[in-house]
């Protein structure tokens, strides 16, 4: 796998309303450009009396907080997109340009759209951008929703490629329009020394069945290498723009946004021409995130930026979404390296309440994180500063703590009659379980785990799946395997990093995205709130020091009276009475989590 360090930068909204820096007056030797992505216009959005009829993009889920500027379960009403452009336009300067990284149509079932409707939505968005920015050049890229059926981008000329080439004639040169109409990608000189390379990364997107067995769909890899080689010969720098990013998804562990083989090819090309590429800019994930491309020795080469979306839509099971956003980049006009980001957002809830769109500056990245620039080394050091303390914090949790969490979860869920009948599937992700933690395991601890789950807990287990387990977990399993009943051994599966073997036993439709599934990412806070309900306190530090029973106490109790015949479920988790199920009946949404996934 090509080494791409991925860091998600979560920043809070600022309550400041300020103008963008005035071009070269802000800082000598700087240039600027703007980034808009994932507009996702939903023409059906309207304030209907029935909340299930507000927008097709909610797919029948009630949009109970709908307002004039939208709802977090819906794609963008036109008024929201118009307000973004209206706020952005006065901040622009004559020398600025815009990159637009795709996805104009809404998230609706395929039978609600057609090729003609997709073209019409792209036409409407193109016209709106031209009306608000009549004197600016825009460099678009195609998104996976900019085709019908969505994701199924072909490798040759088609109606949509031809349509966008015609629509984008005011912005692009004839040679760019030619490759756009043939394969959905192009390159164009922005100014002397700077070139935009717009890729059609949907050709590498795993849902695209038209290209799944191709090594170089539409010949784009060969074209990209030729384009970057010529740029190097002409002493040009390049900005790579695309919809689906290269590298790993920010919300899924070890999962690339495009197919692994195609990601490897892109990484290899970008490494070879890292001296040409001055920055990468993507959309698609709707998340504000940054990646750093490393060489084979771990040296940072390129900065990659993924901008948040204008659409506020989220999946019904996701606990939160992005507010609508757009951004501006500052670059060094001598070498075109990235210097800063000015991020703007709209508080959607407030805008709907006031029926007024007060777009605000959310952050200036260098100020927010104490950086001098956005060079690859600066961003890598920033990301590592977030990552290292987090990785150390996992060392405080012992195997007994993890066992407590599993049994606590099971003890709460077993109260549900449906789960008593259907049973459980456990998926245990060992990614953050260190060798130091494994080395402290004792035979009595392992016996506690075996007897607790195999002999003493009144639940049916359809399977226990280990993923991302290191070698020392394999070794521990070898030790305890002889003590397992044959029935239990047959239900334990060791997948390692092979998510395909997991998908053969559990359908991806019910798995979280970090396990290669189609559900939203697993969120520990959401799970804790669902599990503990009113007893959950976000201010409480649930750490080993807060438990009343020590590991030694548990081992002593195990030897004395926690045999399979005498052990009570409440004793295996916490002191009796600590966890009490509320009398109220859980809603259907509360019970939609189909499995237990532990990090």
């Amino acid at each position: 796998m090509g080494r791409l360090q991925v860091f998600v930068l979560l920043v809070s909204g600022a309550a400041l309303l300020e103008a963008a820096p005035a071009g070269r007056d802000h800082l000598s030797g700087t240039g600027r450009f703007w980034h808009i992505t994932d507009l996702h216009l939903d023409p059906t959005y309207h304030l209907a009396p029935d909340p299930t009829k507000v927008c097709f993009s909610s797919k029948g889920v009630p949009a109970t907080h709908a307002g004039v500027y939208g709802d977090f379960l819906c794609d963008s009403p036109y008024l929201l997109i118009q307000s973004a452009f209206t706020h952005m336009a006065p901040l622009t300067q004559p020398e600025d340009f815009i990159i637009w990284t795709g996805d104009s149509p809404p998230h609706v079932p395929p039978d609600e759209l057609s090729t003609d409707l997709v073209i019409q939505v792209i036409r409407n968005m193109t016209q709106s951008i031209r009306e608000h920015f009549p004197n600016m050049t825009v460099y678009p890229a195609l998104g996976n929703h900019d085709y019908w059926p969505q994701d199924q981008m072909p490798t040759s000329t088609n109606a949509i490629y031809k349509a966008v080439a015609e629509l984008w004639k005011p912005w692009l040169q004839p040679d760019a329009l030619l490759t756009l109409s043939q394969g959905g990608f192009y390159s164009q000189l922005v100014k002397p020394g700077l070139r935009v390379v717009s890729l059609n990364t949907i050709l590498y997107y795993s849902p695209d069945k038209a290209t799944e067995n191709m090594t170089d769909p539409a010949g784009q890899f060969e074209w990209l290498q030729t384009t970057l080689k010529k740029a190097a010969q002409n002493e040009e720098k390049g900005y790579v723009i695309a919809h689906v990013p290269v590298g790993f998804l920010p919300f899924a562990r070890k999962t690339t946004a495009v197919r692994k083989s195609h990601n490897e090819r892109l990484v290899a090309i970008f490494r070879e021409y890292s001296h040409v590429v001055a920055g990468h800019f993507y959309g698609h994930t709707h998340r504000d995130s940054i990646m750093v491309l490393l060489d084979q020795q771990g040296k940072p080469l390129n900065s990659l930026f993924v901008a948040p979306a204008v659409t506020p839509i989220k999946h019904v099971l996701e606990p939160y979404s992005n507010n609508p956003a757009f951004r501006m980049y500052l670059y060094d006009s001598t070498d075109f390296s990235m210097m800063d980001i000015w991020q703007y957002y709209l508080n959607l809830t407030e805008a709907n309440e006031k029926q007024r769109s007060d777009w605000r500056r959310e952050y200036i990245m260098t100020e927010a994180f104490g950086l001098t620039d956005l060079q690859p080394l600066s961003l890598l050091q920033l990301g590592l500063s977030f990552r290292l303390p987090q990785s150390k914090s996992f060392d405080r949790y012992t195997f007994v703590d993890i066992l407590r969490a599993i049994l606590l979860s099971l003890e709460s869920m077993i109260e549900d009659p449906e789960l008593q009948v259907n049973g459980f599937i456990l998926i245990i992700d060992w990614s953050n379980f260190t060798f130091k933690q494994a080395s402290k395991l004792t035979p009595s601890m392992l016996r506690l785990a075996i007897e607790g789950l195999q002999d003493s807990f009144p639940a049916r287990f359809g399977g226990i799946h280990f993923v991302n387990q290191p070698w020392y977990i394999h070794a521990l399993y070898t030790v305890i395997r002889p003590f397992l009943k044959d029935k239990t051994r047959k239900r334990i599966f060791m997948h390692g990093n092979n998510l395909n073997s997991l998908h053969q036993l559990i359908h991806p439709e019910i798995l979280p995205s970090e396990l290669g599934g189609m559900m939203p990412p697993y969120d520990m806070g959401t799970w804790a709130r669902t599990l503990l309900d009113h007893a959950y306190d976000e201010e409480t530090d649930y750490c080993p020091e807060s438990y009343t029973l020590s590991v030694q106490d548990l081992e002593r109790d195990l030897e004395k009276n926690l045999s399979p015949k005498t052990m009570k479920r409440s004793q295996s988790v916490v002191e009796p009475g600590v966890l009490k199920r509320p009398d109220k009946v859980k809603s259907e949404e509360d019970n939609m989590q189909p499995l237990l996934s532990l990090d």
Side-chain angles (χ1 to χ4, degrees), residues 2-4 246 263-272 293:
R3 294 187 64 193
L4 254 158
V246 67
N263 183 76
E264 293 287 347
R265 185 81 179 272
L266 282 170
V267 167
I269 293 172
F270 291 146
R271 279 175 170 164
E272 181 181 358
L293 175 64

Side-chain angles (χ1 to χ4, degrees), residues 142-214:
L142 286 168
N144 58 301
H145 284 265
D146 295 327
Y147 195 80
W148 188 85
Q150 71 177 56
D151 307 328
Q152 306 308 310
M153 284 284 190
T155 60
S156 59
T157 301
N158 58 80
I160 288 181
Y161 289 177
K162 290 180 179 179
V164 295
E166 185 67 29
L167 289 170
W168 298 340
K169 270 186 178 180
W171 299 325
L172 304 180
Q173 300 297 320
D175 56 343
L177 293 169
L178 179 61
T179 56
L180 176 63
S181 63
Q182 293 174 340
F185 51 86
Y186 66 89
S187 171
Q188 182 162 308
L189 199 65
V190 177
K191 58 178 65 177
L194 179 62
R195 177 173 296 276
V196 163
V197 180
S198 179
L199 298 180
N200 181 2
T201 50
I202 318 309
L203 297 173
Y204 313 134
Y205 193 38
S206 56
D208 190 350
K209 302 303 180 184
T211 63
E212 61 184 347
N213 295 318
M214 297 183 179

Side-chain angles (χ1 to χ4, degrees), residues 492-517:
I492 294 179
F493 303 92
M494 311 283 280
H495 300 285
N497 295 327
N498 183 9
L499 295 181
N500 289 331
S501 66
L502 177 67
H503 296 167
Q504 291 174 8
L505 298 173
I506 302 177
H507 198 282
E509 283 186 357
I510 63 171
L511 289 173
S513 58
E514 61 263 47
L515 296 181

Side-chain angles (χ1 to χ4, degrees), residues 42-329:
D42 188 343
T44 68
Y45 186 93
H46 66 295
L47 299 181
D50 183 350
T52 65
K53 307 296 184 184
V54 171
C55 61
F56 281 3
S57 48
S58 76
K59 300 179 177 65
V61 177
T64 55
H65 298 93
V68 292
Y69 291 100
D71 185 273
F72 286 110
L73 294 175
C74 296
D75 273 317
S76 305
Y78 180 68
L79 187 61
L80 172 62
I81 297 172
Q82 186 180 44
S83 74
F85 294 164
T86 299
H87 181 82
M88 178 176 153
L91 303 178
T92 61
Q93 298 292 323
E95 293 185 358
D96 296 353
F97 61 92
I98 298 172
I99 60 173
W100 173 24
T101 52
D103 268 11
S104 292
H107 296 81
V108 295
D111 57 1
E112 299 290 346
L113 292 173
S114 65
T115 296
D116 289 342
L117 286 174
V118 167
I119 292 173
Q120 183 60 46
V121 171
I122 298 174
R123 178 181 292 112
N124 290 346
M125 292 296 92
T126 301
Q127 290 174 347
S128 183
I129 292 172
R130 289 189 62 196
E131 289 171 3
H132 284 85
F133 310 97
N135 301 316
M136 294 185 66
T137 302
V138 178
Y139 299 98
L142 286 168
N144 58 301
H145 284 265
D146 295 327
Y147 195 80
W148 188 85
Q150 71 177 56
D151 307 328
Q152 306 308 310
M153 284 284 190
T155 60
S156 59
T157 301
N158 58 80
I160 288 181
Y161 289 177
K162 290 180 179 179
V164 295
E166 185 67 29
L167 289 170
W168 298 340
K169 270 186 178 180
W171 299 325
L172 304 180
Q173 300 297 320
D175 56 343
L177 293 169
L178 179 61
T179 56
L180 176 63
S181 63
Q182 293 174 340
F185 51 86
Y186 66 89
S187 171
Q188 182 162 308
L189 199 65
V190 177
K191 58 178 65 177
L194 179 62
R195 177 173 296 276
V196 163
V197 180
S198 179
L199 298 180
N200 181 2
T201 50
I202 318 309
L203 297 173
Y204 313 134
Y205 193 38
S206 56
D208 190 350
K209 302 303 180 184
T211 63
E212 61 184 347
N213 295 318
M214 297 183 179
T215 56
D216 188 6
Q220 186 174 218
F221 284 135
E222 182 180 356
W223 172 87
L224 175 60
Q225 287 181 293
T226 301
T227 299
L228 294 177
K229 183 178 180 180
K230 289 182 178 178
Q233 293 170 348
N234 295 331
E235 297 184 347
E236 297 171 352
K237 294 293 184 180
Y239 288 157
V240 173
I241 70 171
H243 183 67
V244 179
V246 67
F248 295 109
L249 289 167
F251 49 79
R253 186 179 295 110
K254 298 179 182 179
T255 302
T256 53
V258 298
R259 295 186 190 97
K260 180 180 178 181
S261 60
H262 292 147
N263 183 76
E264 293 287 347
R265 185 81 179 272
L266 282 170
V267 167
I269 293 172
F270 291 146
R271 279 175 170 164
E272 181 181 358
Y273 292 99
S274 61
H275 62 292
V276 176
V277 179
H280 298 248
F281 308 92
Y282 303 100
H284 182 61
T285 68
H286 297 199
R287 296 169 187 251
D288 186 352
S289 59
I290 289 174
M291 293 176 279
V292 178
L293 175 64
L294 308 179
D295 68 9
Q296 298 286 3
Q297 289 72 44
K299 176 185 175 182
L301 299 175
N302 283 153
S303 304
L304 296 81
F305 304 92
V306 182
V310 172
T311 182
I313 196 170
K314 74 177 185 70
H315 192 281
V316 64
L317 296 181
E318 289 183 290
Y320 56 84
S321 179
N322 63 287
N323 274 304
F326 62 83
R327 64 169 43 164
M328 183 199 66
Y329 297 95

